[in-house]
Amino acid sequence: MNTFTLNKRWRRSRFASAEKATDEPVTLTHRRIYIMPTQRGLGFIVLNILLLLIAFIYNNNLAYLLTFLLTGIFLVTILHSFKSLSGLVLHKGHCKAVFAEEAAEFGISINNPTSIERYNLQLALQKTESLDLPAYSKRLITLYSPTQKRGWHEAGAVTVASTYPFGLFRAWSPVRLGLKVLVYPKPASADSPLPESPSVQSGQGISKKGTDDFYGVQQYQAGDPIKQIHWKAFAKGQGLFSKQYGGEGAAEIWLDYNATAGHHTEERLSQLCRWVIDADKAGIHYGLSLPGYKIAPNHGALHAQECLETLALF
């Protein structure tokens, strides 16, 4: 049992890939922090060895004194390098969904609950962010990672490091905070108009506006009937809006995967993604039809988010 534990503790992947991902806050302790001499530290070791040889050959007490003094500084630096990270607490922050080929943003909250000020901290993912953290303070850091395809995109290991105080040692800790973002399909170019087929039975198309029940207003568009203009809002100087009415003939569009042009799945999803964005901006009621799954017509930010998430995970 002890052998298994030691093998697990000293496996090579722990130094770069960290422990298993977790959604809980991670506190940096001696079990998570690793320390190695930097290039400057290795040069410092060589210098000390040379000084020791000079002191031994010439039997020079001042050379001995200087060698032991520098060795003491070297050893004490190990402790300070460890303390530069020890006790820090990392929390998983907010991660916002993005479109494919955009940079994913991962929020990380780093908390210093101790009376020790932390200098030259570095948080690295694809790029490195540097910061100083005063005692009893907290900072929110955003790290970026490029995305290539739709679906879930995981951040992987985030490395927290420091070379404080003299740059002789690098203390680091790879941490997995379970950071991931949902990547929507890349929207197609905006030159493809929304479907205009009036047939609702076919699963795709726009029907004419009705005049049954009032359900809201939208920005006036050329061709809207004059009787539907919201004159009260115009009189108050709020702009020109048209009243929108619902009913059996309400403005409604169906976006159907099977009726969407494209040479392969990703092209169709890309086009559907563009139409979802355009329909949401236009304030149109729209539904989404995918093989084996349908989302009823609706409008608004939550509906658009549901449709985009469905496309991302299709």
Side-chain angles (χ1 to χ4, degrees):
M1 184 68 178
N2 291 335
T3 303
F4 173 77
T5 303
L6 288 175
N7 289 337
K8 187 176 180 180
R9 181 176 298 180
W10 288 99
R11 70 182 187 274
R12 192 176 302 174
S13 61
R14 288 187 74 230
F15 293 87
S17 301
E19 306 286 351
K20 292 182 179 179
T22 177
D23 292 330
E24 300 297 323
V26 173
T27 302
L28 303 187
T29 64
H30 65 281
R31 296 176 64 89
R32 290 181 173 271
I33 300 174
Y34 310 106
I35 302 176
M36 289 289 288
T38 61
Q39 186 174 359
R40 180 185 298 180
L42 294 175
F44 195 89
I45 293 174
V46 172
L47 175 62
N48 258 19
I49 292 174
L50 291 176
L51 285 174
L52 182 61
L53 289 175
I54 292 173
F56 179 75
I57 292 172
Y58 293 100
N59 195 24
N60 190 309
N61 291 333
L62 289 178
Y64 275 120
L65 178 62
L66 180 59
T67 301
F68 296 148
L69 178 62
L70 293 179
T71 301
I73 293 175
F74 186 79
L75 296 176
V76 170
T77 300
I78 298 176
L79 178 62
H80 284 279
S81 297
F82 170 76
K83 284 188 173 182
S84 66
L85 297 183
S86 179
L88 292 177
V89 182
L90 278 73
H91 299 259
K92 176 181 178 180
H94 176 69
C95 301
K96 182 182 178 182
V98 298
F99 293 98
E101 299 186 10
E102 292 182 347
E105 300 181 4
F106 298 101
I108 299 176
S109 177
I110 179 168
N111 181 24
N112 178 16
T114 69
S115 59
I116 303 174
E117 295 189 12
R118 315 300 177 111
Y119 300 99
N120 192 31
L121 292 178
Q122 300 170 355
L123 274 73
L125 191 55
Q126 296 292 328
K127 295 183 178 180
T128 301
E129 295 287 337
S130 300
L131 71 150
D132 295 333
L133 199 60
Y136 306 111
S137 65
K138 180 185 296 185
R139 286 278 300 277
L140 180 63
I141 301 296
T142 302
L143 301 179
Y144 300 89
S145 175
T147 62
Q148 298 297 328
K149 57 183 181 179
R150 63 185 175 88
W152 288 109
H153 177 79
E154 296 184 356
V158 176
T159 302
V160 186
S162 177
T163 56
Y164 179 81
F166 302 124
L168 301 179
F169 289 90
R170 179 176 183 264
W172 81 95
S173 178
V175 178
R176 288 181 179 270
L177 292 171
L179 294 166
K180 63 180 182 179
V181 300
L182 187 59
V183 181
Y184 302 145
K186 181 181 178 181
S189 58
D191 56 1
S192 180
L194 289 166
E196 296 181 356
S197 170
S199 174
V200 179
Q201 285 81 8
S202 66
Q204 181 161 332
I206 302 176
S207 61
K208 297 180 180 179
K209 296 177 182 178
T211 57
D212 297 326
D213 300 318
F214 174 76
Y215 70 82
V217 297
Q218 72 173 20
Q219 194 75 30
Y220 175 81
Q221 298 179 0
D224 287 346
I226 295 179
K227 65 180 180 179
Q228 291 184 199
I229 294 178
H230 197 307
W231 293 111
K232 289 184 179 180
F234 180 73
K236 294 179 181 179
Q238 296 176 353
L240 195 58
F241 295 91
S242 294
K243 298 178 182 179
Q244 302 299 305
Y245 297 88
E248 292 183 1
E252 188 176 279
I253 184 172
W254 272 96
L255 306 177
D256 189 354
Y257 174 89
N258 293 322
T260 302
H263 297 292
H264 50 77
T265 299
E266 296 305 321
E267 280 193 11
R268 293 188 179 190
L269 294 180
S270 180
Q271 183 60 69
L272 289 171
C273 181
R274 166 54 60 188
W275 283 340
V276 168
I277 296 172
D278 292 346
D280 180 61
K281 288 182 178 178
I284 298 172
H285 277 60
Y286 61 95
L288 180 65
S289 177
L290 298 173
Y293 190 79
K294 279 190 176 183
I295 298 178
N298 205 335
H299 73 292
L302 292 179
H303 180 62
Q305 180 180 343
E306 181 184 4
C307 292
L308 291 173
E309 288 178 354
T310 302
L311 293 175
L313 299 174
F314 176 71

